[in-house]
């Protein structure tokens, strides 16, 4: 059994409103990639957000009293805080330089996933540019998947990933924030282990495992490899939603 991950090299800069599926397919051709049924396409959130025009200039953001209050607590730009609040259901924790929120999508993450690294602004316009998460990552993944399937004739899955920190551990890892054609959880409850014990609670976060593996190839700095294809996934591809992996607040012992 073999699982392989292949990053597309020399991926072009994605501009606003770019046809992302077409860019991915062209890059695949340049990298000599031949699509097969069962391939899983893993995409960095940034290129999806860029193609969906989720770029904002902090110079254009009007902020209110609540943003000013959190800015004083954290030392962060009040315009950035205003965007964080607009992208969040709740602010859970703050300290200097950091805001932990429950994102509108349900994720618990820092600064509502708003990114300032590797963000190219609008040419010819001065600004302090940031990139927000896709408005509906599952829908984004489904659109890209459908476009690629229609052009290749192959059945694939798509995972959109972002870098998140982790409670109790240092270091960011890649996690899934949107899926199409793949359930983010593999339910092994009811299966037996090698010694006949029936598994009672085992659910495997396979989408996150694939996201973390792909993130190693993508890198976090100037690598320029935002597209990775996974081949050899040993389980069936079944439809799913990222909501399956979000723990409800009532089940969260640490909230």
């Amino acid at each position: 059994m073999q699982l392989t991950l292949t990053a597309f090299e020399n991926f072009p800069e994605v501009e606003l409103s770019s046809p992302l599926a077409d860019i991915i397919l062209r890059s695949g051709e340049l990298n000599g990639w031949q699509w097969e049924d069962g391939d899983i396409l893993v995409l960095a959130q940034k290129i999806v957000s860029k193609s969906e025009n989720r770029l904002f200039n902090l110079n254009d953001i009007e902020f209110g009293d609540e943003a000013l209050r959190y800015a004083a607590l954290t030392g962060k730009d009040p315009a950035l805080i205003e965007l964080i609040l607009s992208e969040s259901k709740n602010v859970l924790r703050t300290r200097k330089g950091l805001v932990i929120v429950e994102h509108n999508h349900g994720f618990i993450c820092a600064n509502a996933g708003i990114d300032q690294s590797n963000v190219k602004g609008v040419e010819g316009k001065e600004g302090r540019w940031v990139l927000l998460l896709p408005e509906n990552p599952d829908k984004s993944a489904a659109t890209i998947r459908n476009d690629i399937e229609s052009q290749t004739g192959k059945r694939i899955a798509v995972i959109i990933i972002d870098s998140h920190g982790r409670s109790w551990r240092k270091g960011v890892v890649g996690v899934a924030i949107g899926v199409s054609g793949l359930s983010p959880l593999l339910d092994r409850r009811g299966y037996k282990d090698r010694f006949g014990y029936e598994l009672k609670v085992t659910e495997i976060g396979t989408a996150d495992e694939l996201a973390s593996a792909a993130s190693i190839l993508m890198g976090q700095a100037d690598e320029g490899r935002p597209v990775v294809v996974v081949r050899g996934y040993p389980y069936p591809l079944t439809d799913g939603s990222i909501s399956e992996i979000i723990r409800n607040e009532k089940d969260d012992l640490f909230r």
Side-chain angles (χ1 to χ4, degrees):
M1 182 176 292
Q2 187 176 45
L3 184 73
T4 64
L5 291 89
T6 303
F8 289 179
E9 298 286 354
N10 302 311
F11 197 81
E13 186 70 28
V14 174
E15 306 293 344
L16 300 179
S17 302
S18 294
L20 190 53
D22 292 344
I23 296 172
I24 293 167
L25 289 171
R26 284 199 298 271
S27 180
E29 290 177 3
L30 293 173
N31 279 267
W33 185 258
Q34 299 293 321
W35 296 89
E36 294 182 2
D37 287 331
D39 284 347
I40 300 174
L41 178 64
V42 185
L43 303 175
Q45 160 267 321
K46 277 190 179 109
I47 62 171
V48 179
S49 292
K50 287 179 183 177
S51 72
E52 295 181 354
N53 302 326
R54 296 289 282 162
L55 184 70
F56 285 78
N57 186 348
L58 294 182
N59 291 348
D60 297 334
I61 303 300
E62 296 182 4
F63 47 84
D65 292 341
E66 188 177 16
L68 284 170
R69 181 168 64 85
Y70 280 115
L73 288 171
T74 63
K76 300 183 80 66
D77 188 318
L80 176 60
I81 292 289
E82 186 66 37
L83 282 178
I84 292 171
L85 294 176
S86 72
E87 290 287 290
S88 305
K89 295 179 181 179
N90 296 296
V91 175
L92 302 181
R93 298 285 190 276
T94 64
R95 65 165 170 76
K96 284 293 183 183
L98 183 65
V99 182
I100 303 295
V101 302
E102 179 184 6
H103 194 280
N104 291 333
H105 298 329
F107 318 129
I108 306 301
C109 60
N111 305 324
I114 297 175
D115 210 339
Q116 294 177 284
S117 64
N118 282 318
V119 177
K120 178 185 175 184
V122 175
E123 189 172 348
K125 184 175 180 180
E126 292 293 327
R128 297 169 295 141
W129 302 95
V130 297
L131 203 60
L132 277 59
L133 297 184
E135 288 189 285
N136 186 333
D138 277 353
K139 183 178 179 181
S140 302
T143 298
I144 295 165
R145 174 192 170 202
N146 291 336
D147 288 347
I148 290 179
E149 287 185 339
S150 67
Q151 295 187 60
T152 64
K154 304 298 183 181
R155 183 173 183 236
I156 69 166
V158 175
I159 305 174
I160 299 171
I161 75 170
D162 194 14
S163 297
H164 284 191
R166 300 165 294 164
S167 299
W168 322 126
R169 290 177 179 263
K170 293 182 179 180
V172 296
V173 298
V175 300
I177 65 167
V179 296
S180 179
L182 174 82
S183 175
L185 286 177
L186 180 65
D187 191 348
R188 303 301 281 174
R189 292 173 295 182
Y191 286 77
K192 292 184 178 179
D193 70 8
R194 293 172 57 201
F195 303 102
Y197 173 77
E198 183 176 306
L199 303 179
K200 305 295 185 183
V201 297
T202 303
E203 292 179 288
I204 305 169
T206 49
D208 279 346
E209 291 186 320
L210 295 173
S212 293
S215 184
I216 293 174
L217 293 182
M218 290 180 182
Q220 297 288 338
D222 62 353
E223 292 85 356
R225 293 191 296 265
V227 174
V228 172
V229 185
V230 178
R231 179 167 289 173
Y233 182 67
Y235 303 105
L237 296 183
T238 57
D239 286 327
S241 167
I242 202 64
S243 62
E244 298 170 34
I245 212 169
I246 305 298
R247 192 185 300 278
N248 292 325
E249 185 175 356
K250 65 181 180 62
D251 297 324
D252 187 342
L253 297 181
F254 302 100
R255 190 91 64 93

